[in-house]
Amino acid sequence: MDKLALVTGATSGIGKAFADRLAADGYDLIIVGRRKDRLEEFASAHRGVTVRAVAADLSTDAGIDTVAGICAAEPLTMLVNNAGVAHYMPLAELPADKARELVHVKVLAPTMLTRAVVAGMRERGGGKIINVAGMIAFSGPADKAVMPRRAVYAGSLAHLVAMSQALGVELDDTGVQVQVLCPGVVATEFHERQGLDMSVVPRMSAEDVVTAGLRGLELGEVVCAPGVEDTRLLDAVFQADLAAFGGQSPVLASRYRAE
């Protein structure tokens, strides 16, 4: 198999759009999702490539271990960590099972799947890893009126940004590309499953998000923000991060010293 991609969360939204586009581009696919019927429906509709459907729940250790095993064993040329859940609510009101599910799906699963695939890609001298996050990853400093009710969700996406950036540096000159894909609001079933009506909110199509992600790989972007026209805004964020990191000292800052 010259081109083999594994896509999580492939039964709808961005994941399905990735799977559709990659199949059209001649990739053989391993598609992962919770809904076996939708996986099989996708496989039946894409006879021109080999499609392996894997029903797995990435909110569980068993599901993560199953897919990580596939990532380690198969000669993947692309991994798309797309699976997601939202659970938008204040942390104090977030049930423990929902918090655990969110962290498993958006932090633990992409971390462990990426870990499983990296060694083989590096040995083969190439590969592409796309971690689907979102612009909410940059919303931490926002005022409560602007971005309330999603502390764990925002934190999980911020993890994907930092991990992807650091991993991209680790894999420099290996032929393995890493990207974190950060769309804004996208027209998918994602919000509907959380009981949110987004019908009046301007939204990007999942197909446009995929177009941006794949083109971003060609451009060498580690952070791909499909709806941000002025990339200097992103550059300013990252330069500020590095300035703060470089501005540290072993000497206690003056504002913390007793007068």
Side-chain angles (χ1 to χ4, degrees):
M1 296 181 184
D2 293 330
K3 296 195 292 186
L4 175 62
L6 186 147
V7 181
T8 68
T11 56
S12 64
I14 296 171
K16 185 176 183 300
F18 259 113
D20 283 331
R21 183 73 59 83
L22 294 174
D25 289 345
Y27 276 81
D28 291 317
L29 295 170
I30 302 171
I31 53 173
V32 178
R34 302 189 203 198
R35 290 171 285 187
K36 185 177 180 181
D37 57 335
R38 287 202 178 186
L39 295 172
E40 292 176 345
E41 180 182 345
F42 180 94
S44 297
H46 294 78
R47 298 294 189 183
V49 294
T50 299
V51 180
R52 175 181 172 188
V54 178
D57 184 351
L58 294 178
S59 71
T60 68
D61 289 337
I64 293 172
D65 289 345
T66 294
V67 182
I70 295 169
C71 288
E74 297 290 343
L76 297 181
T77 52
M78 181 178 291
L79 168 65
V80 181
N81 283 311
N82 166 75
V85 292
H87 302 327
Y88 292 164
M89 60 187 70
L91 180 57
E93 299 171 18
L94 183 64
D97 61 335
K98 291 185 180 294
R100 186 175 293 109
E101 180 183 23
L102 176 53
V103 173
H104 265 78
V105 173
K106 292 307 294 182
V107 176
L108 187 59
T111 299
M112 299 309 292
L113 269 55
T114 299
R115 176 193 172 276
V117 83
V118 160
M121 285 185 171
R122 189 174 55 190
E123 289 172 6
R124 292 187 294 273
K128 304 178 192 303
I129 299 167
I130 298 177
N131 294 314
V132 179
M135 290 304 294
I136 289 175
F138 303 102
S139 71
D143 180 83
K144 180 179 179 180
V146 177
M147 191 61 66
R149 301 173 57 83
R150 54 189 71 178
V152 179
Y153 186 70
S156 70
L157 300 191
H159 164 78
L160 290 176
V161 172
M163 182 181 77
S164 299
Q165 289 176 307
L167 182 59
V169 176
E170 288 182 18
L171 296 173
D172 191 30
D173 296 327
T174 66
V176 182
Q177 283 186 274
V178 182
Q179 178 192 94
V180 59
L181 180 55
C182 298
V185 184
V186 184
T188 69
E189 299 175 6
F190 185 74
H191 296 95
E192 295 172 12
R193 292 202 297 270
Q194 307 302 316
L196 300 174
D197 181 7
M198 305 293 286
S199 58
V200 298
V201 177
R203 295 175 289 172
M204 183 176 288
S205 72
E207 290 74 19
D208 279 352
V209 173
V210 171
T211 295
L214 296 178
R215 176 59 178 152
L217 287 174
E218 294 175 358
L219 295 172
E221 293 182 347
V222 175
V223 179
C224 174
V228 176
E229 182 65 32
D230 187 353
T231 58
R232 292 174 299 179
L233 296 171
L234 297 172
D235 293 338
V237 171
F238 306 142
Q239 289 303 315
D241 285 344
L242 290 175
F245 180 71
Q248 62 185 317
S249 164
V251 177
L252 184 66
S254 60
R255 65 185 178 279
Y256 301 125
R257 300 174 198 160
E259 296 183 359

